[in-house]
Amino acid sequence: MTSSFQHRACTLLLALILGGAAPFIARAQPSSAPDTIRIQEGLSVRGGTHYNRSAVYRDTLLHQWVQGTLQPPTAGTPLSAQSPSTWSSITAGPNGYFEDPSLRGGYLYVSINADSAQTVLLNASGHSQALVNGIPHMGDVYDYGWGRQPIRLHEGPNHLYFRSERGRVRVQLLRSPTSFSIARSDMTMPDLRLDTREPTWGGVRVTNATAALDTTLVLRAQIAGGAPTVTPLPRLPARMTRKVSVRLPAYRPDTTGAVPLRLTLLRQDNSTRPLDTLQTTLDVVRSSQTHKRTFRSDIDGSVQYYSVVPPAGSSHTQERPTMVLSLHGASVEAPSQAGTYTAKPNTYIVAPTNRRPYGFDWEDWGRQNAVQTLRVAEERYGTSRSRTYLTGHSMGGHGTWHVGVTYPDRFAAIAPFAGYPNLRAYGRPGEQTTGTTVVEQQIERASNPSDTYALDRNLQDYGVYIVHGSEDEVVPTAHGRAMAETLSKFHRDFAYYEVPGAGHWWGSESLDFAPVFDYFRWHEIAPPSEQKTIRFTTANPGISARSHWAGIEAQHQPLAYSSITLTQDTTNGTITGTTDNVARLSLSLDRLSLPDTVRVRLDDDSLSLTGTAASADRLFLRHSETGWALTEAPSPDHKGPHRYGTFKSAIDHDVVLVYGTQGTAAETRWARRKARLDAETFWYRGNGTVDVLPDTAFAADAHPDRGVLLYGHADMNTAWSPLLGESPVQVKRGQLSIGSRSIDSNTLGAYFVRPRPQSDQASVGVVTGTGLPGLRSASATRYFRSAAGFPDLFVFDADMLINGQDSVRYWGYFGTDWSVEKGEILGPSTLHPNGSK
């Protein structure tokens, strides 16, 4: 907080007293700032939760909330009738944190008596999620301290629950200083460059602490005494903090150091009465120095950034510069990553962000951000596409493995430092873990794109240099050795170096390692005509579809691994090879040096192509029971690289969250709060910004080609009919139907994805339920966790929160035409391999 805020005359009007209606009341000790209340006493309970990288989870306390049976605990009471765990008193330490083993996979409870109804800012940290008077809010599991979420306290007792994974939680309440404010933390800003004038973007958070939506705000930005810019702000829902994009004015600094930036929050119709003002600075560096740049994300329009190390000295070569894309480790971020390197001749070292210090482990939206950064930097610096390299350390080493196997034609060589290949088997180097039940195996297929070992052949055609410390205390050396052993079975151009006596970090050489840069220098991507044999595997063509001149467009068995091995012979004009689990194949013949007549032989089927077919920019082949045949370009209405599922893929293409308002009062409250929770979570985990709209404000023609997350069922969300009227999955109050199958129940929750009508790229993700228990059971935000597997369709009973997979009802994947009939949708009659249910 700024000192002006700390010393405001008004104080937080909370009467924190023992006794009263609540069974437990926290004592709060004021901090040195009169506007801060630190919660010092509470209750904790061990267990009752089981969360992993899957759609299936268990949470005893949340199940009680779903069923409407959650009661404030007292010391000594059990978590549930079936649980041996009991609530125990706990006191925060001098640092303000509640710390206890019970908070590793448990809950903290505090109760607060307020003498009046009021809005305050919840500044909790260390928790995964909060439940405030029955309203779910995003947590701060990484302890950033950025939260400050507006919450409403009732007059009298207020009940707050904090789910904890890491064993410690801090709880503070802050008086909301104004109705609208600019946050002093979590800004995304560029560096300015000396003697360079160009407009750019910044990102800041703006808080609406009122009870009403606001659409009338603007942010004015002024650098030093220059001309200001004014950016209209997007919708700011009630009691919500949102990251917003701000256009910064073009300004030409004439000296290095720092220049003042003034941000002023105003109403559009009143430029004389600021609602809040933030004074900060932007750094000014020389163009030859390492610096930060910002850009707008394709995913959500948010402002993201990367750091770049420009080439050393003046380049006199006529060659295009090379690029090294360097992925940072957990908590490191791009400036520290780039700061590790010394400048290299004719080479740009570009360090993207994983959207957050931890972000998505360089998977999902973190991977997409890395790829967009690569594209933005290529366009800006004119680097050679054939001399682009990938590296990273720790979590960035994992990202190097993951991005490397996902895009096998984008890099000439990769170099993972201290990296773990798989999240799925992080603690078991070299293992490929799979589920033991039909439910687990089918759902896990949604996370198959994360399995480096299963995709390892994609590394075959470019160089791999593995570096690992022999005494690594964070990522066991066994990870590097396991991948070296895997590569040794087929790879002819890889190196493994184990640094004697080195731990996880051994100084700048942990990344800026001269032998790796030497290795990079003698690697280059060969042109397509020289790529004689392609070996390519993918689990999801919507994530990874092509390698050089061939692509896997669709699969027979969705999300199972698909592979091709194809060889071109320019002399004889042939393409021959084998495929596995490939329903549609594409060949970019225009990139090859083939004669006018081309013979294709796939899996013992022969085709002869002449004329137009042989000269096509891209040729499509379809596989059926009768074999391979030439086919036309597929309809965008079918699954393909442009849109393939799974559920998580809907959170893309400038996604908008649309909640239903036409249900019961309780259903409408759930939908609005769930949409806000998802917006908060995507901001926290992904530095994101998303529009949150009621169904009454959503119009398909006003929001074209945008991904949609829709909350609610057909009886409560008016956007259902235009977006999902033709869907084979229908959900209304009391009933869910899938094709010709239906279930009458009010306790079902579901997630599913469909192609958005009138769009060739966007999808509609649906968070739904057949009644309030079902809707509430879909309140978890597990789909924002990296590599978490969510299939195209996932239906479960609310009792999944205590029974796990035994309460999963339907799950699986739609067909290539998005139908149920041609897909792989399994139901409750499916037997486990051992014959039991």
Side-chain angles (χ1 to χ4, degrees), residues 70-137:
L70 181 62
Q71 296 296 320
T74 57
T77 59
L79 175 61
S80 70
Q82 295 76 34
S83 174
S85 299
T86 58
W87 291 91
S88 301
S89 297
I90 186 172
T91 302
N95 61 358
Y97 282 90
F98 296 92
E99 298 186 72
D100 192 82
S102 63
L103 294 178
R104 291 188 175 274
Y107 270 91
L108 169 72
Y109 166 79
V110 300
S111 180
I112 300 170
N113 252 18
D115 65 354
S116 64
Q118 57 200 274
T119 297
V120 297
L121 301 182
L122 175 63
N123 191 35
S125 58
H127 60 305
S128 303
Q129 194 167 332
L131 199 62
V132 179
N133 291 326
I135 303 173
H137 283 280

Side-chain angles (χ1 to χ4, degrees), residues 487-557:
L487 294 178
S488 70
K489 298 174 184 177
F490 64 87
H491 207 293
R492 295 177 298 175
D493 182 16
F494 83 95
Y496 176 71
Y497 180 65
E498 198 166 288
V499 185
H504 191 60
W505 182 260
W506 61 92
S508 61
E509 282 196 323
S510 303
L511 272 170
D512 197 4
F513 192 53
V516 163
F517 281 88
D518 290 339
Y519 185 80
F520 285 167
R521 273 190 285 272
W522 53 273
H523 283 82
E524 184 174 3
I525 301 175
S529 59
E530 296 179 18
Q531 298 283 349
K532 299 302 182 182
T533 299
I534 289 179
R535 302 169 184 84
F536 174 57
T537 301
T538 185
N540 183 342
I543 291 176
S544 175
R546 298 184 180 93
S547 178
H548 301 290
W549 46 266
I552 297 172
E553 303 272 330
Q555 304 165 297
H556 289 300
Q557 187 178 28

Side-chain angles (χ1 to χ4, degrees), residues 118-193:
Q118 57 200 274
T119 297
V120 297
L121 301 182
L122 175 63
N123 191 35
S125 58
H127 60 305
S128 303
Q129 194 167 332
L131 199 62
V132 179
N133 291 326
I135 303 173
H137 283 280
M138 166 218 70
D140 180 10
V141 66
Y142 296 119
D143 219 354
Y144 294 145
W146 296 338
R148 304 195 178 194
Q149 300 152 292
I151 63 171
R152 188 66 174 169
L153 295 181
H154 309 314
E155 181 180 354
N158 294 265
H159 309 290
L160 288 72
Y161 298 85
F162 301 88
R163 179 165 61 83
S164 173
E165 297 176 4
R166 299 178 175 232
R168 66 182 222 149
V169 178
R170 184 191 65 181
V171 182
Q172 293 181 348
L173 300 177
L174 311 173
R175 180 179 177 83
S176 180
T178 58
S179 296
F180 300 94
S181 59
I182 308 170
R184 270 55 182 168
S185 60
D186 186 33
M187 288 181 284
T188 304
M189 292 291 173
D191 294 330
L192 303 183
R193 291 175 301 142

Side-chain angles (χ1 to χ4, degrees), residues 191-535:
D191 294 330
L192 303 183
R193 291 175 301 142
L194 186 65
D195 297 326
T196 301
R197 178 185 177 91
E198 60 182 4
T200 187
W201 289 93
V204 296
R205 287 189 302 142
V206 176
T207 297
N208 176 2
T210 74
L213 163 76
D214 198 284
T215 60
T216 67
L217 301 180
V218 298
L219 261 178
R220 185 172 63 201
Q222 186 176 29
I223 300 176
T229 58
V230 177
T231 305
L233 297 191
R235 298 169 62 92
L236 197 60
R239 298 195 187 99
M240 182 173 165
T241 297
R242 179 175 179 180
K243 194 82 174 270
V244 297
S245 302
V246 182
R247 189 68 167 171
L248 300 179
Y251 178 80
R252 184 185 181 93
D254 55 10
T255 184
T256 59
V259 295
L261 169 65
R262 181 183 179 91
L263 297 174
T264 308
L265 186 64
L266 303 156
R267 292 207 180 278
Q268 292 175 353
D269 57 354
N270 193 333
S271 60
T272 61
R273 295 183 59 188
L275 299 172
D276 195 17
T277 300
L278 171 63
Q279 294 275 12
T280 185
T281 59
L282 298 176
D283 291 331
V284 179
V285 300
R286 299 183 184 278
S287 295
S288 59
Q289 291 179 282
T290 298
H291 58 275
K292 294 184 298 181
R293 286 185 175 272
T294 55
F295 62 93
R296 298 289 298 276
S297 170
D298 291 340
I299 297 169
D300 58 353
S302 62
V303 173
Q304 304 296 329
Y305 82 100
Y306 61 91
S307 291
V308 58
V309 184
S314 300
S315 176
H316 300 290
T317 178
Q318 298 301 310
E319 295 182 357
R320 297 177 70 181
T322 64
M323 185 195 298
V324 175
L325 194 72
S326 183
L327 310 184
H328 66 75
S331 81
V332 174
E333 292 201 79
S336 296
Q337 182 82 356
T340 303
Y341 293 99
T342 57
K344 306 292 187 288
N346 204 39
T347 299
Y348 285 92
I349 301 173
V350 174
T353 62
N354 190 24
R355 292 183 69 103
R356 281 300 189 198
Y358 293 89
F360 304 104
D361 298 278
W362 295 107
E363 304 206 16
D364 299 312
W365 303 279
R367 178 193 67 247
Q368 293 180 53
N369 202 66
V371 173
Q372 185 181 357
T373 301
L374 174 61
R375 185 176 71 251
V376 167
E378 281 178 335
E379 294 172 356
R380 179 176 292 277
Y381 304 121
T383 56
S384 169
R385 189 179 176 93
S386 65
R387 298 186 65 82
T388 300
Y389 310 95
L390 177 66
T391 188
H393 178 267
S394 191
M395 182 181 76
H398 166 70
T400 302
W401 286 121
H402 175 62
V403 175
V405 298
T406 302
Y407 307 109
D409 60 357
R410 288 299 282 116
F411 306 100
I414 69 171
F417 287 77
Y420 46 95
N422 272 15
L423 282 172
R424 188 183 289 177
Y426 175 71
R428 301 173 297 281
E431 291 187 20
Q432 293 170 272
T433 59
T434 56
T436 58
T437 68
V438 172
V439 176
E440 290 173 341
Q441 292 170 353
Q442 185 90 347
I443 292 174
E444 279 182 3
R445 273 164 43 187
S447 60
N448 276 349
S450 297
D451 194 338
T452 297
Y453 291 106
L455 301 170
D456 56 13
R457 295 282 170 158
N458 291 349
L459 302 171
Q460 183 159 329
D461 294 324
Y462 55 78
V464 180
Y465 197 127
I466 309 169
V467 184
H468 220 112
S470 68
E471 307 301 321
D472 194 324
E473 70 283 8
V474 178
V475 179
T477 306
H479 283 291
R481 294 175 181 174
M483 275 306 297
E485 174 63 23
T486 296
L487 294 178
S488 70
K489 298 174 184 177
F490 64 87
H491 207 293
R492 295 177 298 175
D493 182 16
F494 83 95
Y496 176 71
Y497 180 65
E498 198 166 288
V499 185
H504 191 60
W505 182 260
W506 61 92
S508 61
E509 282 196 323
S510 303
L511 272 170
D512 197 4
F513 192 53
V516 163
F517 281 88
D518 290 339
Y519 185 80
F520 285 167
R521 273 190 285 272
W522 53 273
H523 283 82
E524 184 174 3
I525 301 175
S529 59
E530 296 179 18
Q531 298 283 349
K532 299 302 182 182
T533 299
I534 289 179
R535 302 169 184 84

